[in-house]
Amino acid sequence: MSRIAVAVAGAGRAPGSVRLLAVSKTHSPARIAQVEATGQRAFGENYVQEAIEKMDALANSLGESRARALEWHLIGPVQSNKTRAAAERFDWVQSVDREKIARRLSQQRPPNLAPLNVLIEVNLSGEASKSGVAADQAAALARAVAGLPRLRLRGLMAIPAPSRDHAVQRARFRAVRDLFERLRAQGAELDTLSMGMSDDMEAAIAEGATMVRIGSAIFGAREKVKSAA
Ligand SMILES: *Cc1c(COP(=O)(O)O)cnc(C)c1O
């Protein structure tokens, strides 16, 4: 997406330093296949069951080997009764905000798969949702996750409340980046800062995002809002 390249260059950052996660929630396997055909491999979904139905449909329509090349990220809240399916089918879980969920994901990650990549979702101020761990608990949760054998802690994810004010957007993303840098200074080996959506990706990239999660700017408006399945 050229908006990302423009924002990366404008921020004086290295080309290719920001990954695109295509957020495909509510969109059909056929639409995902169209985006896959442009070379996109990483897709984000909010609901475990909805995602698994699409993974299975795509394994049929794309064929096993192309479907295996896809990388699936869970970006919605994780309920404890969905951790097994999440651990079995996803490559990343970006929305870990409780140690109990992290422990279950680690226990349930199948031994034949690589460790599950995990981001800790943080909630620093005025987030759009109630999920996410507060700043003063992030370090303890990061240490707990880093100690779990079948998880690989990669970084932080945040969903700041939307604002039309670019300076406000930047200040909120900067607070997440500051926390990310503090955790790294304490020794956490983190390489991923997931922040920025269709309406605020430029501010997030200016503040150091390494992954932006983009739905409507790729797929258009969402077809319908699904309830948590
Ligand atoms: C839906 C969603 C996105 C994408 O939002 P857009 O505004 O459509 O780009 C990104 N992150 C999370 C956690 C989401 O739920």
Side-chain angles (χ1 to χ4, degrees), residues 23 25 46 75 159 197-198 213-216 222:
V23 176
K25 63 180 178 217
N46 290 57
I75 60 173
I159 318 171
M197 319 203 314
S198 294
R213 308 179 309 270
I214 308 299
S216 48
R222 280 185 269 287

Side-chain angles (χ1 to χ4, degrees), residues 51-213:
I52 288 176
E53 286 166 19
K54 294 178 194 179
M55 293 173 196
D56 291 343
L58 286 161
N60 278 320
S61 62
L62 297 178
E64 289 289 344
S65 74
R66 264 168 77 190
R68 249 199 313 275
L70 299 178
E71 183 181 280
W72 291 96
H73 294 234
L74 182 60
I75 60 173
V78 197
Q79 274 112 38
S80 9
N81 64 348
K82 293 291 192 295
T83 53
R84 180 175 298 281
E88 289 176 354
R89 299 300 300 268
F90 283 84
D91 303 291
W92 291 63
V93 175
Q94 297 205 1
S95 39
V96 169
D97 64 359
R98 282 181 291 155
E99 190 178 337
K100 176 188 161 198
I101 295 292
R103 270 202 313 261
R104 289 176 65 96
L105 288 170
S106 181
Q107 281 160 4
Q108 294 168 341
R109 180 68 168 173
N112 59 312
L113 298 180
L116 181 65
N117 296 293
V118 162
L119 300 181
I120 290 176
E121 182 178 349
V122 295
N123 186 330
L124 298 191
S125 62
E127 309 290 81
S129 77
K130 289 195 190 67
S131 46
V133 70
D136 61 351
Q137 290 157 33
L141 183 56
R143 273 193 301 276
V145 170
L148 289 167
R150 301 292 297 139
L151 303 185
R152 181 171 171 212
L153 178 64
R154 301 291 296 266
L156 302 180
M157 187 272 264
I159 318 171
S163 165
R164 303 179 70 95
D165 183 334
H166 187 75
V168 171
Q169 291 175 2
R170 284 194 57 159
R172 289 178 179 157
F173 289 131
R174 195 175 314 132
V176 183
R177 203 263 296 267
D178 287 347
L179 175 60
F180 181 72
E181 296 300 347
R182 278 204 300 283
L183 295 175
R184 293 220 287 198
Q186 292 167 15
E189 287 177 36
L190 310 179
D191 63 7
T192 303
L193 185 52
S194 169
M195 58 186 193
M197 319 203 314
S198 294
D199 290 336
D200 56 14
M201 70 171 97
E202 282 83 6
I205 289 170
E207 295 298 343
T210 68
M211 185 184 295
V212 290
R213 308 179 309 270

